[in-house]
Structures are given as structure tokens and as C-alpha cells.
Amino acid sequence: MKSLACGLGLLLVATLTGAAHECERECVAGDTRTCQYRFNLQDYHSMSRACFDCPINMTDCFRPECVSADGVAVPILTINRRLPGPDLQARDRVVVDVYNWQLSDTETIHWHGQHMRGYQYFDGVPFITQCPIMGGIFRYDFIAGTPGTHWWHSHSGLHRAAGVFGAIVVRQADDQQAELYDELPRTRDNNARLDPHFRIRQGENEPAMPLEVVKVAPNQRYRLRLINTEGLNCPMVVSVDDHRLTIIASDGDPIVPYVTDSLVMYSGERFDVVLEANQPVDNYWIRFNGLIICEQLECVQGAVLRYEGAAEEDPTATLSYDSSYPPGVVVNPLNTGGHSEEEVTMAELTALNPTVLEEVVDKKFYLGFNFNQINDLIFYNPELYPFDGVDEKWQVNTPQLNNISFLFPLSPPLSQPDSPNPTMCLYGEEPPCEEGYCSCTYVLEVALGDTVEIVLIDEGKIGAENHPYHLHGYNFYVVGMERLGSETSVEEVMALDAAGGIKRNLKDAIRKDSVTIPDGGYTVVRFTADNPGWWLMHCHLIFHSEIGMVAVLHVGDPQDLPPVPEGFPTCSSFLPEV
């Protein structure tokens, strides 16, 4: 039997109980505050001395600073010795002081879903919006102006996968959907978070760790906030035994409520769902089945939905891996255009707030996501050990955008616009290449106020992959999605578009900031470039983005931006003449 402990990364923000921070409060119009937090970033370890006798003594697994991590002792990276890190609950000014206590690395924190209008310098992308945090302190200071379910995470190297992430929920006093639910559920230990990433059922020959429990009362409706934090190409099928879920928002934006039996979540996505406790009093599985890489490993995780009055025991149903969707409707299915009645894509859902988009846009871009078998200079020396000169086990395919690997600039163009940027290349220009490997700071330029359409294409020529796309600084309308076959090309999609073969839904399309691209297909997104700055756009899988599946959207001119904060850190190369 394969182990079920595969490290699926998903947060379920359940409730606000035992408020540990003054900003964790009921949302009242006119009550605004400055919410200040301290993030101590440090190398740490799961199953450390803080866990005492966990899991022999189950209560020890819930001790402060105990990261049980499925009972496996591994080095991790944490904020405040927690995994996930602290939950931020606010609709105010947010001030976060990040103390970098790492032994060697730098850091930045990205506020995924916050558009940072007027606070562009705190978006948290190294060498794009700021210099990375060395040993010392950096203060993020912004208004949490984008309501809904969001999250924060490291944007440096592999730190997000090592544990630097957490939830940020921005509440509204005038919630349009408040009548759809009665209350928020409670977790067993009254935390404001349920984390199946590290509270799961184990396989054979592993320590039996405590399962997370979500408590509900019969005949009540509960709002659950789901956040997919994974970064290893492991989309998750989410379902609750014998219950249906009503989706009411995605990536913070409200949608017309849609009832489903299951939904698939890709890296970076968030869904707000309502669960009605309308079944007999009992225990039920909340299931998370992994796809793609996690299908190969048969990864499944679960938490317990427990009705008041039910016995404190596991559900009687078996928790085992199943690669198929549960019976009924599935929303956001993997690698499909949604042709089946039971499969509903993001392009088929309806926004709660009506909109009609113009037929013509000011700027249109085509971005091809693909792997290439090339002499990526990160992995190979073309003269000593080229890609095609090593054994197959050493061959690593390179993720690229339009056959270009992104190269971070020498200094942040946002805060240091006058610094030289010799690595920059623009969309539509020939990039610099060496031995077939093309690399540069790949930039898409638009004017402030332009309407923009981006056709995202997963060419799918190497492997059955999937690329969840994330754009900083914006929500975009999802106006089209289709799979053409097992593979396609930018040229094929452009020709199809020119011939009128791509349908666009320009009426009441939903808005997101993270969306899947079907393998061998395309997703079409639109937005108005009304937020000036330098905004990263990338595949949200960690390996893909860190190796180069990235571009930058440059909106407006320096005079369109707020002034650089006084004393803002600067950085550059040091290369004096010899």
C-alpha cells in the first residue's frame, strides 16, 4: 500500500475564534485599524523538541510551535515557527515586519490576490518590485483593498514549498452573499485554520497523526474558504461525502452561486463554498485527491466533518485514493474544455456583478507555455555535457514562455527605473540566445488604461502537464477556455483565432487572478490595465516559475506611480573597472 502522506498543500480557513489579534473581529462599517504583525522567518524542523511525545500523546501534537508534518521529521522554513504561517484577517491597513533570521538566504513575501494599488513597492517580487530582504528587517505597509479569500507566500526560490505561506482574508461589512450562509464552522482545536497539508490520515507503517475535525450543527449553512498552496503540479479534487458544495466566489470575486459535487483546485486558486449540514448526524470525510504527479503517487488526504452529537471517531467510509471524480458535477476539471454536461470550466461560470466587455481590445498577446529539450545553462554546459550528450536520467526539460527563460534584472525596475537593465527584451522582439537557449527579462508593455487580452496556450508537446497561470496586480476576466488535443502550438492557436475559431464570452464573465490552461489548449483572459507598475505573470508551479516560465507586465510610465518610499532599499551589481 502506498503512503497517503504526499504533502498536498491546501488551507481551509474555517473561523475566527479565540481572537489572538485585535484585527480578528466582526466586520463593522467605519471601524478601520492598522493591523500590525511580526513575521520571524527562520530555519526550523518538524517533529522538533516542541512536539514532546507527539503522536504517542496526541495532545502534544497541538502544542505551540509543534509542527507535526505527518509525523515525519524534516527541515522546514517557517514564519513564527508555524506551518502554515499566521492567518491575517483584516480589511484595514496591514503592516508586516519581516525579520529574516535565516542562516543564509534572502526573502520576499508576496500578498497573493492583493492588487497593491498605490502600494506597488510592496508586491514582494525580488528584483522586480524590491530588493530581496537580506539579514535584517523589511516592513510591508499596504491597504488590504482587495476583499475575499487570499494568501501570502514567499516569492524567493523554493521557500514557499519549504513552508513560508499562510492565509489572508479581507472581509467586507456589506457582504453581498451574507444571506447564503448562517455561520462559520469551528475546528477541533479552535484554530482559525484547517490544514490538511499536515493533519492527514497516514498509510501503513507510519505514525498515526491526529486528523483535523470541522464541527458543524445540523441544518446550518457554513462558509468555507479553500486555498490551494501547492506548487508541485498536484491539482486537488475536493469533495465532502454525501454533501454538495455551493461555490460563491473564486479568487475573492463573487459568482452566481453554483452547486457542485466536487471541484478541482490548481496552485494559487481560492474558492469560497457553502456547505449545508443537511445529512444525518454522523462523521463524514472531507476528501482531497491529488492529480498529475500526485496521481502517480496515489496521494489522498482527508479531514473529518463532524456533526454536533456524533461520536468522536473516524467516518466509517474508507479513505483511499481514487483518480476519478466523484459522481455528479465537477467544476474546474483537469485539461478539458468542458464539453460534458457534468464538467464545468471557469469560463462557463457567471459573475455575480454583471459586465459586458468590448469586442475589440487595445493590446493582444499570445503566450506559449511549453517544455523544451535544450541546453539550459542552469543545468548544462554545452561544451562539456550538453542535453543530448548525457544519459536520459540526467535530461531535464526546460519550462519556458514563448521559448524564452525569464532572467531577473540586476535591480528592481519599479523602484530603480533609472538603473541600467541590459537583460531586458520585449514581446515581439528577437530574444538573445546562446546554443539554442534564449534568456532575458521578458516584458509585455502596455499603456495605462489599455484594454488587454492575453491568450494563454499550453502547447503540451512534452508530457501531460498543466500550467496554472497567475497575474500580479490584477483580476482578469476568464472569457474562453478550450482543449484542442494532446498538443498544440502558438501558431496553430493564432491561426485559429484569425479564422474566428476562438469563442469568447464577453457577458458576465467571472474574474480571477489564477487560472488553469488545459494541456494542448488555451485560456483567454482580459482586463483593463488601470494599475500602473511592473507586475509578474507566471506559471504558479514552483519549479516551472523558478526555472523561467515567467514574464513581466509593464503598465504605464514612472510618473504614473506613487513616489518611491523614503529610504527604500536599493541594490545593483558591483563591477568596478580593473
Side-chain angles (χ1 to χ4, degrees):
M1 176 180 177
K2 288 189 173 69
S3 165
L4 307 184
C6 298
L8 302 187
L10 186 139
L11 300 181
L12 191 159
V13 182
T15 187
L16 294 174
T17 56
H21 194 281
E22 64 174 350
C23 290
E24 297 183 4
R25 66 195 193 279
E26 294 296 326
C27 206
V28 178
D31 177 15
T32 59
R33 310 179 188 184
T34 295
C35 301
Q36 191 158 2
Y37 301 85
R38 174 169 173 151
F39 278 15
N40 296 328
L41 171 69
Q42 68 179 126
D43 298 283
Y44 198 53
H45 214 279
S46 61
M47 293 301 292
S48 68
R49 61 179 62 87
C51 294
F52 287 77
D53 292 327
C54 170
I56 297 172
N57 181 351
M58 287 294 190
T59 59
D60 282 348
C61 300
F62 296 95
R63 283 179 175 268
E65 299 188 3
C66 172
V67 176
S68 55
D70 303 345
V72 179
V74 293
I76 55 177
L77 192 62
T78 62
I79 299 290
N80 300 351
R81 296 186 175 180
R82 296 177 58 178
L83 202 159
D87 300 313
L88 277 59
Q89 310 261 354
R91 61 181 185 89
D92 316 88
R93 177 187 177 193
V94 174
V95 178
V96 180
D97 294 339
V98 178
Y99 290 72
N100 186 359
W101 291 353
Q102 295 179 92
L103 300 178
S104 60
D105 288 1
T106 62
E107 188 58 272
T108 63
I109 302 294
H110 170 56
W111 313 93
H112 189 123
Q114 292 303 299
H115 297 164
M116 296 296 174
R117 295 178 184 272
Y119 303 91
Q120 287 87 339
Y121 304 99
F122 301 110
D123 188 50
V125 182
F127 297 109
I128 299 295
T129 62
Q130 69 172 93
C131 299
I133 308 167
M134 306 292 285
I137 311 167
F138 183 87
R139 173 167 289 175
Y140 291 94
D141 188 347
F142 60 94
I143 299 296
T146 314
T149 303
H150 307 294
W151 60 304
W152 56 265
H153 60 79
S154 169
H155 226 297
S156 295
L158 307 180
H159 293 180
R160 170 162 61 98
V164 184
F165 63 89
I168 175 169
V169 175
V170 182
R171 300 181 181 276
Q172 292 176 291
D174 54 346
D175 183 356
Q176 291 177 281
Q177 298 170 307
E179 76 282 354
L180 298 177
Y181 59 96
D182 302 303
E183 57 182 305
L184 301 172
R186 294 175 294 111
T187 57
R188 172 175 54 191
D189 59 347
N190 288 334
N191 284 330
R193 160 191 67 219
L194 180 153
D195 174 28
H197 193 148
F198 293 102
R199 297 284 187 267
I200 65 171
R201 169 61 66 203
Q202 300 295 305
E204 293 178 351
N205 303 318
E206 291 188 283
M209 303 303 293
L211 292 166
E212 197 64 82
V213 175
V214 177
K215 298 178 181 178
V216 296
N219 303 315
Q220 295 293 293
R221 300 168 301 169
Y222 294 87
R223 180 174 188 160
L224 308 178
R225 300 176 183 266
L226 301 164
I227 307 171
N228 188 335
T229 67
E230 67 90 14
L232 301 176
N233 210 357
C234 179
M236 289 176 236
V237 185
V238 181
S239 63
V240 182
D241 285 4
D242 298 336
H243 293 74
R244 305 194 82 193
L245 301 172
T246 302
I247 303 173
I248 63 172
S250 182
D251 296 356
D253 249 51
I255 69 170
V256 172
Y258 194 90
V259 180
T260 186
D261 297 284
S262 64
L263 68 148
V264 180
M265 298 185 67
Y266 304 87
S267 178
E269 286 189 307
R270 291 88 68 209
F271 283 93
D272 290 28
V273 301
V274 173
L275 180 145
E276 185 174 358
N278 57 5
Q279 296 300 307
V281 171
D282 207 342
N283 293 290
Y284 300 87
W285 286 120
I286 304 174
R287 297 178 184 265
F288 309 92
N289 275 284
L291 302 176
I292 306 184
I293 288 178
C294 286
E295 182 175 356
Q296 300 171 20
L297 300 173
E298 297 187 1
C299 293
V300 60
Q301 299 181 348
V304 177
L305 180 74
R306 177 165 295 156
Y307 279 67
E308 290 182 0
E312 294 190 4
E313 60 187 22
D314 289 356
T316 56
T318 301
L319 180 65
S320 60
Y321 183 77
D322 187 349
S323 61
S324 61
Y325 302 127
V329 175
V330 55
V331 169
N332 207 21
L334 174 66
N335 290 338
T336 179
H339 298 293
S340 166
E341 289 186 4
E342 290 78 26
E343 295 184 344
V344 179
T345 71
M346 292 291 95
E348 297 174 281
L349 298 178
T350 304
L352 186 63
N353 301 311
T355 56
V356 178
L357 304 178
E358 297 290 336
E359 289 283 346
V360 179
V361 296
D362 298 313
K363 296 285 179 63
K364 180 184 289 189
F365 303 95
Y366 294 86
L367 290 182
F369 292 68
N370 198 32
F371 284 88
N372 289 304
Q373 296 178 334
I374 56 176
N375 286 315
D376 186 332
L377 299 183
I378 296 175
F379 302 120
Y380 303 100
N381 184 324
E383 296 181 359
L384 301 177
Y385 43 94
F387 178 91
D388 57 5
V390 299
D391 190 88
E392 184 177 353
K393 69 179 180 180
W394 295 110
Q395 293 180 339
V396 177
N397 301 321
T398 296
Q400 295 185 308
L401 274 184
N402 286 352
N403 300 318
I404 297 172
S405 292
F406 187 79
L407 183 65
F408 279 93
L410 306 178
S411 57
L414 177 70
S415 56
Q416 298 176 229
D418 297 326
S419 297
N421 194 348
T423 63
M424 183 180 294
C425 68
L426 301 181
Y427 178 93
E429 297 180 350
E430 285 295 322
C433 302
E434 179 181 350
E435 298 284 342
Y437 173 66
C438 304
S439 178
C440 64
T441 304
Y442 193 38
V443 177
L444 285 60
E445 288 201 319
V446 301
L448 186 63
D450 276 353
T451 53
V452 180
E453 178 177 279
I454 305 178
V455 182
L456 308 164
I457 304 154
D458 184 343
E459 296 185 283
K461 295 178 180 178
I462 298 178
E465 290 284 344
N466 177 269
H467 300 292
Y469 166 84
H470 173 51
L471 172 62
H472 292 216
Y474 289 90
N475 274 10
F476 45 71
Y477 295 97
V478 182
V479 300
M481 184 180 293
E482 184 58 271
R483 191 183 195 206
L484 302 177
S486 60
E487 65 178 67
T488 185
S489 67
V490 171
E491 293 74 20
E492 180 182 4
V493 173
M494 291 178 69
L496 182 67
D497 198 9
I502 295 182
K503 296 180 180 179
R504 293 166 172 82
N505 172 30
L506 303 181
K507 185 175 184 298
D508 303 338
I510 70 167
R511 297 198 313 163
K512 290 172 62 64
D513 59 50
S514 306
V515 69
T516 184
I517 313 168
D519 184 65
Y522 60 81
T523 296
V524 185
V525 302
R526 285 191 176 190
F527 58 95
T528 299
D530 55 4
N531 191 12
W534 294 75
W535 304 109
L536 210 67
M537 56 171 69
H538 57 99
C539 176
H540 210 263
L541 302 176
I542 294 175
F543 172 74
H544 296 188
S545 61
E546 288 303 314
I547 300 303
M549 197 172 266
V550 178
V552 170
L553 178 73
H554 179 208
V555 180
D557 299 313
Q559 60 267 27
D560 298 320
L561 292 163
V564 179
E566 184 177 355
F568 201 73
T570 60
C571 51
S572 63
S573 299
F574 177 67
L575 198 63
E577 292 185 5
V578 177

